[in-house]
C-alpha cells in the first residue's frame, strides 16, 4: 500500500499550466487535481498477460485514482521492455511465467491482474495467492466450477482477496436498472433476454482452441448473458435447458461451441432466454420484462457507451471507461472493504461457472438440468 502525500506540490504545478490547456487538457487537469487531493491508499497492481485486453486495462489504469500499474508478468520479453518504457515500470517488478512466484518477496506489488487465456487462470491464480498477493482474474474465472472452487479455497487459505473482472457490475446504466428493479419500480420481474455474440475471425486463435479456451462462445461471450440474467433478474437460477447449433464444424472443433441457446428458470417463476454465439455480428442486447415496466439495453455489455431505456425513459447516466471505474472500485473493495452493489468475488465467478457447467451438460444430454441438487 502507498499514499500520495505530495499533493500541494502537484497542485502548484497544475495551476501554473492552467492557461495553456485544451478541452482534453482540462479533463486531464480535473483528474490531476482529484489525484492531488487524494491522500488515501493506492492498490499497486501487476498485470499478467500483456495481450489485447491487458493493454486496454493498462491504459484505463492511467486514469485511476486508487490504482497504479507497477509491474508485469509476461512470456514475451519485447512486450516487457515496451511496457517498462511506456508505463515507467522498474526491472525489479518484471517477471515471466517461470519465475513469478518470486513476487512473494516483492513488497511493492499488492495484487496481480490475470489477463491470460482461460485455461491458465486457475494455476496462475493459485500461484499468485500462494505468493501472498491479491488476485484479480479475468472472466471466465476458470474452465469449470471445480477449478473455480480450488481458486476460492486457496485464496481463502492464503488470506488474499479474489475478484473477477466483471466490469459491468460497476457500469452506471446497468446499476440504474438494478436499482429500479430492487426498489420495486418495475414490479415483479417476469422475463429476461440476453443476446451476446460476435463473428469470430482467425481460426488459429486461442479462443477457438478447446485446451486454452475451455469451450467456445459460451466461455467468452455467452458468460455475459449468464451473469447478466442473474444481476438483471436478481435471483439465482434453479434449472437450465440448452441447445447447440454448429454450422462450421471445421472452424468450431469438438468441444468448441459456435452457438448455444439456453434457458434459465428462477425461483420466482421468472425465466431467461439467451443466445451465445461466435457467428453473428454485433449481438449485444439485454431485455428485461416486468409487471410494471421494462429495461432494454443495446449495446448492453460492450465497452460502451451502453445505451438503453426503461419504462421511465432513456438511461442518461454518464459513460465512464469501464475498466477505470472497475479498477478504482476493486481497489476500494480490497483496501477499504467496500461492498459492491453486485458481488465481484470468487463466489460470484463460481456461480456463473456452475451454470455454464450445467449448460454444457444440458447440451450433451438434451435434458433439463436441476441446479439445486
Ligand atoms: P490475448 O490473446 O489478446 O492476450 C492474452 C495474453 O496472454 C497474450 O498476449 C500473452 O501475453 C498471454 N499468454 C500466455 N500464455 C499464452 C498462450 N498459451 N497463448 C496465448 N496467449 C498467452 O487475449 P485477450 O487479452 O483478449 O483475453 C485474455 C483474457 O481476458 C481472457 O480470459 C478473456 O476472456 C478476458 N477478456 C475479458 C474482457 C472483458 O471485457 N472483461 C475482454 C477481453 C478479454 P504475454 O505475451 O504477455 O505472455
Amino acid at each position: 500500500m502507498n499514499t500520495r502525500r505530495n499533493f500541494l506540490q502537484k497542485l502548484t504545478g497544475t495551476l501554473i499550466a492552467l492557461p495553456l490547456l485544451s478541452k482534453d487538457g482540462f479533463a486531464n487537469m480535473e483528474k490531476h487535481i482529484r489525484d492531488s487531493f487524494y491522500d488515501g491508499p493506492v492498490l499497486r497492481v501487476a498485470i499478467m498477460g500483456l495481450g489485447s485486453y491487458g493493454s486496454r486495462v493498462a491504459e484505463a489504469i492511467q486514469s485511476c485514482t486508487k490504482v497504479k500499474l507497477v509491474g508485469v508478468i509476461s512470456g514475451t520479453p519485447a512486450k516487457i521492455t515496451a511496457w517498462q518504457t511506456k508505463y515507467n515500470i522498474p526491472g525489479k517488478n518484471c517477471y515471466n511465467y517461470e519465475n513469478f512466484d518470486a513476487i512473494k518477496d516483492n513488497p511493492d506489488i499488492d495484487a496481480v491482474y490475470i489477463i491470460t487465456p482461460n485455461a491458465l487462470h486457475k494455476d496462475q491464480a493459485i500461484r499468485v495467492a500462494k505468493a501472498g498477493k491479491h488476485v484479480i482474474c479475468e472472466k471466465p474465472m476458470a474452465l469449470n466450477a471445480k477449478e473455480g472452487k480450488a481458486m476460492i479455497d486457496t485464496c481463502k487459505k492464503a488470506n488474499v482477496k479474489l475478484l473477477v473482472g466483471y466490469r459491468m457490475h460497476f457500469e452506471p446504466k446497468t446499476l440504474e436498472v438494478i436499482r429500479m428493479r430492487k426498489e420495486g419500480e418495475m414490479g415483479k420481474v417476469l422475463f429476461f433476454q440476453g443476446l451476446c455474440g460476435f463473428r469470430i475471425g482467425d481460426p488459429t486463435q486461442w479462443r477457438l482452441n478447446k485446451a486454452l479456451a475451455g469451450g467456445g462462445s459460451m466461455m467468452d461471450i455467452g458468460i455475459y448473458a449468464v451473469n447478466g440474467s442473474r444481476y438483471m433478474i436478481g435471483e439465482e437460477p434453479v434449472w437450465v435447458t440448452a441447445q447447440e447449433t454448429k454450422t462450421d464444424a471445421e472452424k468450431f472443433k469438438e468441444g468448441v461451441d459456435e452457438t448455444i441457446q439456453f434457458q434459465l428458470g428462477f425461483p420466482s417463476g421468472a425465466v431467461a432466454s439467451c443466445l451465445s454465439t461466435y457467428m453473428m455480428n454485433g449481438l449485444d442486447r439485454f431485455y428485461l420484462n416486468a409487471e410494471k415496466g421494462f429495461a432494454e439495453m443495446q449495446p448492453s455489455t460492450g465497452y460502451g457507451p451502453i445505451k438503453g431505456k426503461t419504462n421511465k425513459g432513456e438511461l442518461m447516466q454518464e459513460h465512464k471507461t469501464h475498466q477505470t471505474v472497475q479498477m478504482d472500485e476493486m481497489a476500494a473493495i480490497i483496501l477499504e472493504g467496500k461492498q459492491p452493489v453486485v458481488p465481484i468475488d470468487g463466489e460470484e465467478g463460481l456461480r456463473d461457472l456452475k451454470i455454464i457447467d450445467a449448460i454444457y451438460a444440458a447440451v450433451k444430454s438434451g435434458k433439463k438440468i436441476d441446479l439445486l441438487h
Side-chain angles (χ1 to χ4, degrees):
M1 209 187 293
N2 180 22
T3 54
R4 294 179 178 170
R5 297 185 187 281
N6 56 345
F7 64 93
L8 276 177
Q9 286 159 319
K10 285 191 199 168
L11 186 60
T12 309
T14 305
L15 291 177
I16 290 167
L18 197 60
L20 308 170
L21 290 175
S22 63
K23 193 172 161 228
D24 276 359
F26 268 109
N28 289 339
M29 187 191 67
E30 192 194 334
K31 176 182 156 31
H32 194 62
I33 290 177
R34 208 175 343 110
D35 284 1
S36 301
F37 283 97
Y38 180 70
D39 198 23
V42 170
L43 187 73
R44 296 159 310 165
V45 172
I47 290 185
M48 181 186 297
L50 314 183
S52 145
Y53 197 62
S55 303
R56 186 178 285 272
V57 170
E59 267 318 297
I61 287 176
Q62 305 315 305
S63 303
C64 283
T65 302
K66 299 183 175 184
V67 182
K68 192 166 170 14
L69 174 64
V70 297
V72 290
I73 300 156
S74 168
T76 315
K79 285 191 205 168
I80 296 183
T81 313
W83 280 49
Q84 279 194 268
T85 310
K86 188 165 182 193
Y87 298 116
N88 198 19
I89 294 170
K92 69 176 181 57
N93 290 356
C94 298
Y95 298 86
N96 59 41
Y97 299 113
E98 284 72 48
N99 69 12
F100 76 79
D101 308 271
I103 211 163
K104 72 173 187 304
D105 300 317
N106 190 330
D108 298 333
I109 295 173
D110 304 311
V112 174
Y113 194 162
I114 299 170
I115 318 186
T116 54
N118 310 340
L120 309 178
H121 294 178
K122 192 242 321 167
D123 286 349
Q124 290 170 339
I126 286 176
R127 284 172 65 189
V128 169
K130 284 186 173 166
K133 305 297 177 182
H134 299 295
V135 179
I136 304 174
C137 183
E138 252 321 309
K139 45 61 51 180
M141 171 186 166
L143 297 191
N144 51 52
K146 191 170 169 230
E147 285 194 1
K149 181 80 174 50
M151 288 163 70
I152 292 172
D153 291 346
T154 309
C155 289
K156 242 183 221 153
K157 209 165 151 198
N159 202 20
V160 297
K161 288 257 176 18
L162 168 59
L163 304 182
V164 185
Y166 289 124
R167 62 189 158 75
M168 299 314 295
H169 291 199
F170 306 106
E171 196 282 315
K173 294 186 181 77
T174 305
L175 289 175
E176 170 59 8
V177 174
I178 292 169
R179 186 201 63 73
M180 285 178 66
R181 189 253 300 147
K182 274 187 171 171
E183 293 183 9
E185 291 178 18
M186 294 179 174
K188 184 173 154 43
V189 171
L190 302 169
F191 175 73
F192 171 77
Q193 184 189 44
L195 307 177
C196 298
F198 62 94
R199 207 176 167 88
I200 200 160
D202 178 11
T204 65
Q205 64 186 288
W206 68 260
R207 280 182 168 78
L208 295 173
N209 175 341
K210 160 91 172 152
L212 282 171
S217 75
M218 181 56 61
M219 299 301 285
D220 192 43
I221 190 79
I223 190 171
Y224 285 96
V226 172
N227 192 249
S229 69
R230 295 177 42 246
Y231 65 65
M232 295 289 273
I233 292 179
E235 298 173 42
E236 295 304 322
V238 291
W239 58 257
V240 172
T241 50
Q243 310 79 37
E244 180 177 6
T245 335
K246 195 172 281 199
T247 61
D248 186 347
E250 182 57 36
K251 188 165 182 177
F252 304 98
K253 303 237 159 36
E254 180 67 27
V256 179
D257 48 285
E258 174 189 313
T259 301
I260 291 182
Q261 294 190 68
F262 61 94
Q263 303 77 37
L264 305 172
F266 292 82
S268 65
V271 287
S273 172
C274 302
L275 180 72
S276 164
T277 184
Y278 267 159
M279 267 308 239
M280 297 172 206
N281 258 340
L283 197 62
D284 186 4
R285 181 182 145 83
F286 279 6
Y287 172 67
L288 189 69
N289 183 277
E291 265 176 6
K292 290 194 291 179
F294 70 92
E296 217 169 27
M297 304 170 90
Q298 183 173 339
S300 56
T301 66
Y303 297 140
I306 302 302
K307 288 196 182 127
K309 62 180 178 185
T310 70
N311 46 296
K312 286 172 65 182
E314 194 180 343
L315 288 162
M316 299 296 282
Q317 287 69 24
E318 189 192 349
H319 169 72
K320 293 183 186 146
T321 303
H322 294 179
Q323 295 79 5
T324 302
V325 180
Q326 173 203 318
M327 292 309 290
D328 266 339
E329 289 293 320
M330 283 184 162
I333 291 165
I334 292 175
L335 300 172
E336 299 158 24
K338 186 173 176 182
Q339 291 296 318
V341 174
V342 186
I344 194 90
D345 56 6
E347 299 289 346
E348 173 73 5
L350 180 61
R351 285 182 202 109
D352 282 345
L353 290 175
K354 282 183 177 162
I355 297 167
I356 292 174
D357 284 354
I359 288 171
Y360 282 132
V363 163
K364 210 166 176 185
S365 67
K367 293 193 175 131
K368 186 174 184 174
I369 306 287
D370 179 352
L371 285 166
L372 290 179
H373 302 103

